[in-house]
């Protein structure tokens, strides 16, 4: 008899009310809990679904749809620690979540958040894996057996004695999953587990989850914006949009979802039945379309085919022999890099390849052990911070790290002052990037896309010719990433040189004219985006894998429309 692992029965939830017994806790809307904020519109609106034992379910929906809220409701984080007003019933393995703490539910549901490092409570891998078992009072002999089994299951044997800080992002993600599994839960809930991972590390994590489902019968509920990575592993899907939730087979849900991977968009465009949700399925339908596109390849201007640095003019950025060393590690090893105005460069490579260290060294704030950097002939490291911002602006992986003020308006005013720009400059840039941002709201209460736009506006206020972004697509859905690619393309067209560090191959296909690939701190490939990505199974976008020579659904659509003229 099949056991229902996760059941939602008419669950409605809205933020606003304080958590039980809490005082003075800042709410999601930026209010203090003891100030009596009004309850907001429902994030979850009469949500009902059932996930059986041993199901791999993908939670999809636009940015801000409430996916993280739904996941946190499974183990009681919502509303116990977030506040808010909740109605309905959630059960896991037959146990009612209401009134229980996440610790009470650890033996039936494991939760892994977006940032595993923030959830660790110890310093070493084996200690972290054993911590939950210790809290549950598991006998030492049973604890050692359980930890060893998890180490073997998740492929952590080589790192079990290492410090967590020394692990790669993929290894940390597997440790976080292992820590959640120690208690032997029925269900595992994960919030964007691959958002910080390169394609290879993401595949390792998802393969481990796939084994848990098929070998141990664990139910996995996973939210992820990079759907192209996950669909091949999922059995079913939940679509959350406008507070309402629809459950069903993966293909059926993705066919009606406002956010879907490129393979689904291509299937819709070509009229393929289903539409297909995996590369393998799509390739079986693609032969007629390949023939049509081959006849029209020379008649269509493709989005990322813009001049290279050599064609674009004299270099704006020149780095020679750039080296960055940390204790025991050479993060950047003698990199030479030149870039011109108008270029759109994607900096790619595995986790730990040196991408972020290179960006910070180019900007001038980061450590430089050797080599030279010149932006328009000036060394940014030799300038004061205020002057440095006029040469190169860097938006870090967490855009909120640039935001310090209490309101959007104050943040914009501070950017105007720091950038010595006329009053209202930053606010105007922000409005050009994204409309409708409330100037009175706290920056940390904005959506991911709005927060990124604000950080970008703050950076652009100083008008730097070189713009550097580190993993800007985390937390963005497909429409959000397309909008970001278009905005960055506009900036490049206006004369900025834009360099983006990213693991997101689909964003790269939309944005980049040139790709630079790092490995162990060295440049191993540098050339036109279409050429570099097509030659790599790791970095090739979905459309290229189905229709060689084509990068995006938009390119294919333009080619098909050209034949209708």
């Amino acid at each position: 008899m099949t056991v229902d692992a996760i059941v939602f029965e008419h669950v409605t939830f809205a933020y606003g009310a304080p958590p039980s017994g809490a005082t003075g806790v800042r709410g999601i809307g930026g209010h203090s809990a003891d100030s009596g904020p009004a309850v907001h519109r429902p994030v979850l609106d009469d949500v009902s679904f059932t996930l059986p034992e041993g199901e791999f379910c993908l939670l999809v929906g636009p940015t801000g749809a409430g996916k993280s809220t739904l996941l946190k409701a499974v183990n009681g984080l919502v509303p116990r620690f977030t506040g808010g007003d909740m109605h309905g019933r959630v059960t896991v393995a037959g146990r009612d979540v209401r009134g229980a703490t996440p610790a009470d539910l650890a033996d039936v549901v494991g939760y892994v958040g977006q940032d595993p490092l923030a959830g660790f409570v110890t310093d070493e891998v084996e200690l972290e894996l054993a911590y939950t078992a210790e809290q549950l009072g598991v006998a030492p002999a049973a604890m050692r057996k359980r930890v060893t089994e998890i180490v073997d299951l998740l492929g952590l044997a080589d790192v079990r004695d290492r410090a967590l800080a020394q692990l790669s992002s993929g290894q940390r993600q597997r440790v976080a999953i292992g820590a959640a599994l120690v208690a032997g839960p029925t269900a595992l809930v994960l919030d964007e587990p691959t958002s910080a991972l390169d394609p290879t590390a993401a595949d390792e994590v998802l393969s481990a989850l796939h084994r848990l489902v098929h070998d141990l019968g664990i139910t996995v509920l996973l939210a992820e914006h990079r759907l192209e990575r996950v669909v091949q592993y999922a059995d079913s899907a939940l679509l959350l949009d406008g507070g309402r939730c629809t459950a069903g087979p993966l293909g059926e849900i993705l066919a009606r979802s406002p956010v879907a991977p490129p393979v689904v968009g291509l299937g819709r465009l070509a009229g393929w039945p289903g539409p297909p949700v995996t590369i393998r399925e799509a390739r079986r339908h693609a032969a007629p379309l390949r023939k049509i596109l081959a006849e029209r390849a020379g008649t269509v201007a493709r989005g990322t085919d813009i001049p290279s640095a050599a064609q674009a003019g004299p270099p704006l950025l020149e780095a020679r022999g750039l080296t960055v060393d940390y204790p025991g590690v050479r993060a950047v090893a003698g990199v030479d890099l030149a870039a011109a105005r108008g270029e759109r460069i994607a900096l790619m490579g595995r986790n730990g390849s040196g991408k972020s260290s290179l960006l910070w060294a180019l900007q001038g704030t980061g450590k430089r052990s050797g080599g030279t950097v010149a932006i328009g002939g000036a060394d940014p490291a030799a300038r004061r911070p205020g002057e440095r911002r006029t040469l190169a602006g860097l938006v870090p992986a967490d855009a909120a790290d640039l935001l310090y003020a209490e309101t959007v308006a104050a943040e914009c005013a501070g950017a105007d002052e720091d950038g010595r720009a006329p009053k209202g400059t930053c606010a105007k840039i922000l409005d050009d990037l994204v409309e409708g941002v409330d100037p009175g709201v706290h920056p940390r209460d904005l959506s991911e896309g709005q927060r990124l736009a604000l950080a970008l506006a703050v950076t652009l206020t100083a008008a730097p010719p070189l713009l550097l972004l580190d993993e800007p697509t985390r937390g963005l859905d497909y429409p959000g990433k397309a909008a970001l690619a278009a905005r960055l393309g506009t900036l490049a067209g206006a004369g900025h040189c834009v360099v983006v560090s990213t693991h997101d191959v689909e964003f790269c296909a939309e944005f980049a004219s040139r790709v630079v690939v790092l490995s162990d701190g060295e440049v191993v490939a540098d050339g036109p985006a279409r050429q570099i990505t097509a030659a790599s199974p790791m970095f090739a976008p979905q459309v290229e894998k189905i229709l060689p020579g084509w990068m995006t659904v938009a390119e294919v659509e333009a080619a098909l429309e050209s034949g209708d003229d």
Side-chain angles (χ1 to χ4, degrees), residues 232-254:
Q232 61 182 312
Y233 298 99
D235 302 312
S236 62
L238 298 172
L239 171 60
L240 186 62
D241 191 15
R244 306 307 292 264
C245 188
T246 305
L250 184 65
E252 179 182 314
I253 293 298
L254 290 180

Side-chain angles (χ1 to χ4, degrees), residues 341 363 384-394 411-412 414-422 425-427 429 454-467 496:
R341 289 180 180 271
Q363 194 267 345
R384 294 179 178 179
E387 297 173 335
R388 192 180 299 147
R389 284 194 290 268
T390 66
L391 294 175
L394 193 152
E411 201 70 64
C412 289
D416 291 341
E417 182 178 349
D418 293 341
R420 299 178 182 177
T425 299
C426 183
I429 295 172
L454 177 57
L456 189 54
V458 168
T459 302
L460 289 172
T461 300
L466 178 63
L467 184 60
H496 293 270

Side-chain angles (χ1 to χ4, degrees), residues 200-465:
T200 300
D203 190 61
E204 292 172 356
V205 168
L206 292 168
S207 295
L209 293 173
H210 192 254
R211 287 196 302 274
L212 294 175
V213 171
H214 287 268
D215 295 347
L216 301 182
I218 290 176
T219 296
V220 170
L221 176 58
L222 179 152
E224 181 60 68
H225 280 303
R226 300 181 187 180
L227 301 178
E228 70 278 1
R229 293 178 167 183
V230 190
V231 290
Q232 61 182 312
Y233 298 99
D235 302 312
S236 62
L238 298 172
L239 171 60
L240 186 62
D241 191 15
R244 306 307 292 264
C245 188
T246 305
L250 184 65
E252 179 182 314
I253 293 298
L254 290 180
R256 62 190 297 181
S257 172
V259 290
V263 65
V264 173
L266 185 62
R268 291 171 178 166
L269 176 66
W272 294 336
V277 297
T278 68
I279 300 296
R280 182 184 181 189
E281 293 170 342
R283 288 180 66 89
R284 292 172 176 169
H285 297 280
L289 182 55
R290 288 195 198 106
K291 184 177 180 180
I292 294 171
L293 294 175
E295 297 170 352
R296 303 180 186 178
T299 65
V300 180
R302 306 186 193 183
T304 53
D305 291 339
I306 66 172
S308 65
Q311 300 168 310
L316 167 70
L317 166 68
E318 291 185 279
R320 294 285 180 263
L322 186 58
T323 302
V324 177
D325 291 324
Y326 301 111
V329 177
R330 172 151 288 185
V332 180
V335 166
D336 295 333
L337 183 66
R341 289 180 180 271
E343 283 204 275
R344 294 178 282 171
I345 301 173
L347 190 61
M348 306 189 79
R350 292 200 64 169
N351 292 106
S353 60
K355 301 185 299 298
S356 296
S357 295
L358 177 58
L359 288 186
W360 282 104
L362 293 176
Q363 194 267 345
T365 300
K367 182 178 182 180
R368 187 198 306 169
S369 305
T372 62
V373 176
I375 302 173
D379 184 350
R383 301 296 182 94
R384 294 179 178 179
E387 297 173 335
R388 192 180 299 147
R389 284 194 290 268
T390 66
L391 294 175
L394 193 152
V395 179
D398 186 351
D401 288 348
L402 288 185
L403 309 176
Y404 301 100
E406 292 295 316
T407 64
V408 170
E411 201 70 64
C412 289
D416 291 341
E417 182 178 349
D418 293 341
R420 299 178 182 177
K423 185 177 180 180
T425 299
C426 183
K428 175 63 169 61
I429 295 172
L430 176 61
D431 191 57
D432 289 341
L433 292 173
V434 57
E435 298 180 356
V437 177
D438 182 354
V441 75
H442 196 287
R444 297 192 182 254
D445 292 335
L446 299 174
S447 70
E448 289 284 351
Q450 290 173 326
R451 194 157 51 241
L452 175 62
L454 177 57
L456 189 54
V458 168
T459 302
L460 289 172
T461 300

Side-chain angles (χ1 to χ4, degrees), residues 109-112 177 180-181 185-190 209 212 218-221:
V109 56
Y111 175 83
V112 181
I177 293 170
L181 289 174
T186 301
L188 187 61
V189 175
L190 304 102
L209 293 173
L212 294 175
I218 290 176
T219 296
V220 170
L221 176 58

Side-chain angles (χ1 to χ4, degrees), residues 92-110:
V92 182
R95 190 183 304 180
D96 197 329
V97 171
R98 184 181 295 274
T101 67
D104 296 333
L105 297 167
D107 62 326
V108 291
V109 56

Side-chain angles (χ1 to χ4, degrees), residues 74-98:
V74 177
N75 76 334
L77 284 170
V78 167
R80 188 175 188 88
F81 293 102
T82 63
D85 185 52
M86 186 169 182
H87 301 278
R89 188 168 184 250
V90 179
T91 60
V92 182
R95 190 183 304 180
D96 197 329
V97 171
R98 184 181 295 274

